[in-house]
Amino acid sequence: MDPNLINKLSGQGLIGPESREKLLQPRLFSVHWDVNTLLYLGVLLLSGGLGILVYKNIDTIGHQVILLLIGLTCGLCFLYAHKKKRPFSRHKVLAPNVGWDYIVLLGCLLFITFITYLQAQYNVFGTRYGSATFIPMLVLLFSAYYFDHLGVLSLAITNFAAWMGIAITPYEILASNHFNTDSRLIYTGILLGAILITAGYLSERFDLKKHFAFTYDNFGVHIIFIATLAGMFLLDSYLLFFALLCGIAAYCYWQSRQRKSFYFMMITVLYLYIGISYLVMRALFYSDLDLGGIYLGLFYFIGSAVAVVRLLIVENKKLKAHDRV
């Protein structure tokens, strides 16, 4: 605010001396997110730069030297993180300093790079591709809880998804991209989503890293909804998958009300809306479609879109005072 205006209001008695002093004091602003963004960008640029350096000098450096450098840097990152970490707790543990989180993240990224390089160059796991993702998954999951790191937990979930895709779904299907000829990938996605949602529920139920629950649920809800919709779109038993979609949506809606989370309520409503819209369009386009059917489709999308927006506005007002996400 303009100092002259503040003095004028103070002279007129509209603001008191204490309020005047507070308004005249320079306001501090937080650079927390700016520093975090720069640090994350630095970790990504460093790991990417190492990859480019290795790619351009692979013939002169040698594979053994590259593996040694990656392994040594990874080990130093974990050693520093272990020495500086605070004692383990079932609850949230704050980082000891600003750069600690990013050193943990860099160490985990370098570990994944080390295992991938080892498999690509020396084929240490042979054709057991599941082992090449299972071992990093265990290390990342342990690191996520040991160091209390949400970013590492996301990496662990990603590796878990990769392991399930390779171990449960035949590798030949993944390699040939013949997803329509086998439904196991869809069922794998549904199982993966259910496991992650259960992990989020257990985190809150047993009060073990409760702040991890959102990450588990965020991955799990999107995966299970997308897999269920894929079953509706690609398989013949679309009504069965629609019934499953309604059951999942009912559970997620109930959970969102319990947790006072508008975010999960919103995505639940949107995914369910996609499923209902698919059934409506299927009923229109798989029958003798005439001009009246086209008009019905247009009216449906207009009316249903308004209804969905109205529903979200009403629910947002109910949860706004207690909304967590």
Side-chain angles (χ1 to χ4, degrees):
M1 186 178 290
D2 187 5
N4 295 327
L5 179 59
I6 295 174
N7 292 327
K8 183 178 179 180
L9 294 175
S10 177
Q12 295 175 356
L14 297 176
I15 58 175
E18 294 182 359
S19 300
R20 175 181 175 278
E21 292 298 326
K22 289 182 180 179
L23 291 173
L24 288 175
Q25 288 179 355
R27 293 189 178 183
L28 301 177
F29 62 95
S30 175
V31 295
H32 172 76
W33 292 111
D34 304 82
V35 173
N36 276 354
T37 303
L38 290 175
L39 287 172
Y40 270 116
L41 184 61
V43 170
L44 293 176
L45 289 176
L46 178 59
S47 57
L50 288 175
I52 295 173
L53 179 65
V54 169
Y55 176 77
K56 289 188 174 182
N57 300 277
I58 188 68
D59 295 328
T60 57
I61 297 177
H63 299 293
Q64 293 83 0
V65 176
I66 293 172
L67 281 171
L68 179 62
L69 290 174
I70 295 174
L72 183 61
T73 308
C74 176
L76 290 174
C77 289
F78 280 123
L79 181 62
Y80 173 83
H82 170 71
K83 287 190 172 183
K84 294 293 184 180
K85 74 176 289 293
R86 291 176 175 171
F88 178 81
S89 172
R90 297 171 63 92
H91 309 290
K92 186 175 183 179
V93 179
L94 298 177
N97 54 62
V98 177
W100 184 84
D101 272 341
Y102 306 95
I103 292 176
V104 174
L105 181 61
L106 178 61
C108 291
L109 289 173
L110 290 176
F111 177 75
I112 297 173
T113 304
F114 182 83
I115 295 295
T116 305
Y117 197 113
L118 207 61
Q119 171 65 13
Q121 185 60 37
Y122 296 103
N123 199 26
V124 293
F125 298 104
T127 57
R128 299 185 298 273
Y129 300 102
S131 301
T133 54
F134 185 74
I135 293 175
M137 178 196 71
L138 291 180
V139 174
L140 291 172
L141 190 61
F142 172 79
S143 300
Y145 280 86
Y146 185 72
F147 296 117
D148 199 339
H149 201 294
L150 286 172
V152 177
L153 179 65
S154 299
L155 292 177
I157 293 173
T158 304
N159 271 264
F160 180 52
W163 173 76
M164 287 192 67
I166 293 174
I168 298 180
T169 303
Y171 175 73
E172 292 77 11
I173 297 174
L174 296 174
S176 59
N177 290 326
H178 288 163
F179 301 127
N180 290 334
T181 60
D182 199 296
S183 59
R184 275 174 285 190
L185 187 62
I186 293 174
Y187 294 123
T188 300
I190 294 175
L191 177 62
L192 173 61
I195 291 173
L196 294 177
I197 292 174
T198 303
Y201 170 78
L202 294 177
S203 294
E204 292 192 334
R205 175 67 175 79
F206 294 101
D207 196 17
L208 177 61
K209 301 296 183 185
K210 291 176 66 173
H211 56 291
F212 282 5
F214 174 79
T215 302
Y216 280 122
D217 290 338
N218 195 34
F219 276 96
V221 167
H222 285 291
I223 290 172
I224 197 170
F225 272 125
I226 291 173
T228 306
L229 288 174
M232 285 186 61
F233 298 159
L234 301 177
L235 302 180
D236 294 331
S237 53
Y238 64 94
L239 290 177
L240 180 62
F241 280 97
F242 178 71
L244 178 62
L245 179 71
C246 292
I248 297 169
Y251 172 78
C252 292
Y253 182 82
W254 174 75
Q255 282 288 79
S256 66
R257 294 296 298 268
Q258 294 294 316
R259 298 175 179 178
K260 305 296 187 294
S261 174
F262 176 71
Y263 169 73
F264 285 111
M265 180 175 291
M266 178 185 67
I267 61 177
T268 298
V269 171
L270 292 179
Y271 278 121
L272 183 60
Y273 175 67
I274 293 173
I276 295 174
S277 298
Y278 172 76
L279 286 185
V280 172
M281 292 299 101
R282 186 184 178 96
L284 290 175
F285 283 95
Y286 279 76
S287 60
D288 295 332
L289 185 65
D290 54 9
L291 191 60
I294 296 176
Y295 282 128
L296 283 176
L298 293 176
F299 283 127
Y300 163 77
F301 278 113
I302 295 173
S304 60
V306 172
V308 167
V309 172
R310 177 61 181 169
L311 173 64
L312 292 176
I313 291 174
V314 171
E315 293 296 338
N316 185 36
K317 289 181 179 179
K318 292 180 181 179
L319 301 178
K320 193 172 184 181
H322 307 285
D323 190 17
R324 285 198 286 176
V325 182

